[in-house]
Amino acid sequence: MHPDTLLVNAARPTKEVDAPVNEPVHLTSTYVGWEAGGQERRTYARMSNPSWDGPEELLAALEGVPDPKATPALLFSSGMAAISAALHLMPVGGRVIAPRHAYNGLTSLLQSLAASGRLTMEQVDIADTAAVTAALSAGGGDTILWLESPTNPMLEVADLPALAEAAHAAGALVVVDNTFATPLVQRPLEAGADVVVHSVTKYLAGHSDVVLGAVVTADPDLQAQMHTHRTLHGAIAGPMEAFLALRGMRTLALRLERSQANAAELARRADAARREGSLPLAAVVYPGLPEHPQHELAARQMTGGFGSVLTVEVAAPGDGPAGGPGAEEASVAAADAVVQALRLWVPATSLGGVESLVERRRRLAGEPETVPGGLLRLSCGIEHVEDLWDDLAQALRAAATGGRAHR
Ligand code: PLP
């Protein structure tokens, strides 16, 4: 079945007369046990819940796990809980090679685990395959190569098959955060990754109404280790959240089709306006733009599109040469003015919902200084592209003239 059909058709109750078309939400903390004479499979709801089964098998199937029933994905209470479970695959004292630009929750967690002696961390430019390969072959015992592609928020693209091969040659485990792309765009396990993690909060659930995470692997041993981690650390998904995730996934293909088309069109128009100088833009980054440094790689690897996130760097009014004195502060002020002037785009962190969100990244603590201060991350939703463009263009114009539009 095509993923679009699978998303709609999978994880439904058996088709029989009077059966509901959706699985009910199983609100229970425990299950009737073997004393009642049956073969006990569930025991207690920190270990399993029927409300997890559907979304877990569906996500494994989408990520290309050969036997999703035997090796389902594992839902967690958040993307961070899923990240934590994957990191714990590594013995104490191991090393994590991670992107220098990555989701800042990951970077903060690695820094805190490094400070407590749990692991050592090295940050690399994941778009530089030779540099990552050199870091891998420099040795260092048990190693996880942690990849995001595209990275958050810089949208760098990693050569997943080449890096997986180099990592395995060095005896490292490869984890890919596939939140930005989703399995409809790229399938890291098929590129050689050992584990995929997701913030289900984002595109999979898709409506900014649930916080949830997941790990996916085709390796039964790794899956069992992360299952045990979940049971013992207890970061489980609520059954209602699991239901909402499955309901969101039903429309993933349609939502992505629209949000990716919106992102591609907005990137094209913004970049044209930047080149003409008709809008105050210093840079527009989107893996689908031919000018993106890894565009060809992205086109090969992201077979289902280029994602629904783009970034723009706002130029300050009357900007002198980029990088001149005060340029960064002026660009930050101009970017903040753009966000203030937007009427339709929602100023909020996160991404992947049906509504378009905008965020100036460097306002967040922990973002590295290599992320430009005036960088706006745009998470495109499923609204009409003309409304999104009109709003963005008017806000950029308002910022350029120093005026503020009223909400
Ligand atoms: N991975 C990426 C790429 C993210 O953007 C996020 C959250 O923004 C996470 C993981 C963490 O997920 P959650 O917020 O569901 O814990």
Side-chain angles (χ1 to χ4, degrees), residues 232-322:
L232 297 181
H233 290 248
I236 58 164
M240 194 64 204
E241 281 76 4
F243 170 83
L244 284 172
L246 180 58
R247 192 171 71 160
M249 285 164 79
R250 299 290 185 212
T251 55
L252 176 63
L254 277 178
R255 286 186 285 106
L256 263 188
E257 196 177 305
R258 170 61 76 87
S259 61
Q260 291 199 110
N262 282 350
E265 181 60 15
L266 294 178
R268 194 189 61 72
R269 291 188 192 187
D271 203 42
R274 178 191 64 80
R275 274 184 272 110
E276 287 161 8
S278 55
L279 289 174
L281 289 165
V284 177
V285 177
Y286 181 63
L289 288 176
E291 295 77 19
H292 186 285
Q294 295 95 43
H295 173 67
E296 277 177 27
L297 168 63
R300 256 197 333 272
Q301 186 166 280
M302 301 174 77
T303 52
F306 294 100
S308 309
V309 175
L310 69 139
T311 65
V312 297
E313 206 184 316
V314 181
D319 217 0

Side-chain angles (χ1 to χ4, degrees), residues 124-130 132 156-159 163 294:
V124 288
D125 174 0
I126 54 97
D128 185 344
T129 303
V132 183
E156 298 135 328
V157 177
D159 188 335
L163 291 178
Q294 295 95 43

Side-chain angles (χ1 to χ4, degrees), residues 7-374:
L7 282 160
V8 174
N9 192 58
R12 300 223 181 250
T14 316
K15 275 186 209 139
E16 50 192 36
V17 174
D18 291 340
V21 292
N22 290 303
E23 269 294 336
V25 182
H26 294 267
L27 297 169
T28 188
S29 62
T30 191
Y31 305 95
V32 178
W34 60 271
E35 293 95 335
Q39 290 287 324
E40 183 183 17
R41 285 184 301 119
R42 296 220 182 253
T43 312
Y44 185 58
R46 183 162 33 77
M47 293 151 189
S48 78
N49 189 305
S51 295
W52 302 344
D53 297 350
E56 289 184 336
E57 281 176 33
L58 174 55
L59 183 54
L62 291 173
E63 288 287 4
V65 171
D67 188 350
K69 230 181 180 35
T71 327
L74 296 166
L75 287 179
F76 284 81
S77 56
S78 66
M80 284 307 293
I83 286 174
S84 179
L87 281 174
H88 275 83
L89 288 170
M90 194 180 61
V92 172
R95 166 176 82 130
V96 177
I97 300 176
R100 63 184 175 142
H101 300 128
Y103 170 56
N104 55 4
L106 170 78
T107 308
S108 301
L109 177 60
L110 290 176
Q111 284 164 346
S112 118
L113 292 172
S116 66
R118 170 69 178 80
L119 50 80
T120 58
M121 73 183 279
E122 273 168 52
Q123 288 177 297
V124 288
D125 174 0
I126 54 97
D128 185 344
T129 303
V132 183
T133 306
L136 282 162
S137 51
D142 297 303
T143 300
I144 285 182
L145 173 62
W146 193 284
L147 298 172
E148 278 180 21
S149 188
T151 57
N152 182 6
M154 297 296 275
L155 305 180
E156 298 135 328
V157 177
D159 188 335
L160 297 178
L163 291 178
E165 198 181 322
H168 290 153
L173 205 66
V174 181
V175 181
V176 177
D177 185 329
N178 205 24
T179 300
F180 266 47
T182 86
L184 267 54
V185 169
Q186 73 188 7
R187 308 219 287 192
L189 297 180
E190 291 174 357
D194 301 291
V195 177
V196 162
V197 302
H198 278 283
S199 170
V200 176
T201 314
K202 310 298 192 295
Y203 294 99
L204 296 176
H207 294 75
S208 306
D209 54 6
V210 64
V211 174
L212 215 58
V215 298
V216 196
T217 179
D219 181 325
D221 179 49
L222 296 179
Q223 202 261 10
Q225 288 182 55
M226 291 187 286
H227 190 282
T228 302
H229 181 278
R230 180 177 71 177
T231 301
L232 297 181
H233 290 248
I236 58 164
M240 194 64 204
E241 281 76 4
F243 170 83
L244 284 172
L246 180 58
R247 192 171 71 160
M249 285 164 79
R250 299 290 185 212
T251 55
L252 176 63
L254 277 178
R255 286 186 285 106
L256 263 188
E257 196 177 305
R258 170 61 76 87
S259 61
Q260 291 199 110
N262 282 350
E265 181 60 15
L266 294 178
R268 194 189 61 72
R269 291 188 192 187
D271 203 42
R274 178 191 64 80
R275 274 184 272 110
E276 287 161 8
S278 55
L279 289 174
L281 289 165
V284 177
V285 177
Y286 181 63
L289 288 176
E291 295 77 19
H292 186 285
Q294 295 95 43
H295 173 67
E296 277 177 27
L297 168 63
R300 256 197 333 272
Q301 186 166 280
M302 301 174 77
T303 52
F306 294 100
S308 309
V309 175
L310 69 139
T311 65
V312 297
E313 206 184 316
V314 181
D319 217 0
E328 169 93 349
E329 291 77 4
S331 171
V332 167
D336 284 340
V338 171
V339 175
Q340 295 273 313
L342 285 165
R343 298 164 182 149
L344 174 62
W345 292 75
V346 182
T349 197
S350 201
L351 60 133
V354 290
E355 66 293 310
S356 293
L357 303 183
V358 59
E359 180 177 47
R360 186 174 71 73
R361 290 301 298 186
R362 275 280 292 291
R363 67 185 185 82
L364 297 173
E367 200 89 81
E369 296 207 344
T370 40
V371 175

